[in-house]
Each structure stands twice: as C-alpha cells, then as structure tokens.
Amino acid sequence: MGRQRSEKRTWLAVALALLYPGAGHLYLRKGLRALLWFGLVFATTALSVPTSAIPESGEISVEAILAASRALPTAASVAILVLSVLSTIDAYRLARRRNRRAAAAVTPEEDDTSERQCPHCGREADSEFDFCQWCGEPLDADGS
C-alpha cells in the first residue's frame, strides 16, 4: 500500500457541517468535537421545545416534528442557527489546518503518489483507499 493521504476535502467537511453540526467533524475524525457540537444543538433544541408541542402519545412523526419546530421560540431558533454556523466555521478551520500541516509534511517526491491511476478503469484513484472509488476494484499494493 502507498502513502496514506492525510489531506481532507475542506468543501466536504463544510457541507457535512451544514447538513448537521458535528457531521463535518466526524469526517475529519474528530469524534469528541463532533459529539460536542451535536450535543450542544440537541440540548438547545430539547430544552427549547415547549411541552405543549410534544404529543401526549409520545409518537414521533413528521407532523409532530414540524409542529415542534414551529413552536420553537425565536431565540431558540437563532441559538440553533448560531451553533450551526459556528460548527461549520470550526470544521472549515480544522480541515484547512490539517491540510496545511499535511502539505508542509509532504516532499515533492511524495506528492506525485497522492493520486494513482486505476489499472481497471483508468481513472484517477484516491490513494487514501485500497480500492478504486470509481469502479470498486482493488488497487495494487505497488501504487499502480
């Protein structure tokens, strides 16, 4: 197997963080930080939903979730939005810092092996994987 690639796609970390706070951190393999962001948003939401918005039957349905989201006070919605933005910024900064460190640690000779060509489909295969992300075929250990 070739050199493990330590760079992460910044745009993917940001997109995942926008999808749900903490998801971008999971992609960056920062589990504790991801748990922190997820927990902050979950706790803010759980503490902000009025008990009148929770169905007495305890049933969780799309209608119940929509009703609870409409019942959120404006301050709670703003707090959740702020947490989401801060989580996204944090994921962006972590990815950029990680990529800067990885770029500084890579010598020009190593940089040529960061991408390799799949012998089966001919497309550029990410060296982070032992298989081609396009066709699914295993890549040879010698870097071809």
Side-chain angles (χ1 to χ4, degrees):
M1 189 169 99
R3 178 180 65 85
Q4 285 281 329
R5 193 172 107 166
S6 60
E7 286 185 28
K8 292 292 185 178
R9 291 175 176 86
T10 305
W11 65 267
L12 183 55
V14 168
L16 290 170
L18 284 171
L19 183 65
Y20 196 87
H25 296 83
L26 283 178
Y27 167 70
L28 295 170
R29 297 183 180 141
K30 298 288 186 184
L32 189 58
R33 220 169 184 153
L35 188 61
L36 173 72
W37 284 113
F38 176 79
L40 280 171
V41 171
F42 184 80
T44 302
T45 305
L47 294 172
S48 301
V49 174
T51 54
S52 61
I54 300 172
E56 290 181 22
S57 65
E59 176 185 335
I60 298 177
S61 65
V62 175
E63 292 82 20
I65 293 171
L66 290 175
S69 67
R70 284 190 293 267
L72 272 178
T74 304
S77 297
V78 170
I80 293 168
L81 177 65
V82 168
L83 286 174
S84 298
V85 169
L86 290 175
S87 169
T88 302
I89 291 169
D90 188 46
Y92 172 78
R93 291 180 65 223
L94 282 174
R96 292 289 306 253
R97 185 178 339 146
R98 180 180 181 139
N99 289 344
R100 264 188 266 127
R101 286 180 184 161
V106 172
T107 62
E109 302 86 45
E110 291 174 332
D111 195 31
D112 293 339
T113 62
S114 65
E115 296 287 332
R116 52 188 168 171
Q117 191 171 5
C118 174
H120 304 283
C121 69
R123 295 175 89 176
E124 294 250 343
D126 194 336
S127 63
E128 186 173 345
F129 304 115
D130 292 332
F131 61 91
C132 175
Q133 72 268 25
W134 303 106
C135 68
E137 293 293 325
L139 297 171
D140 296 336
D142 64 355
S144 60

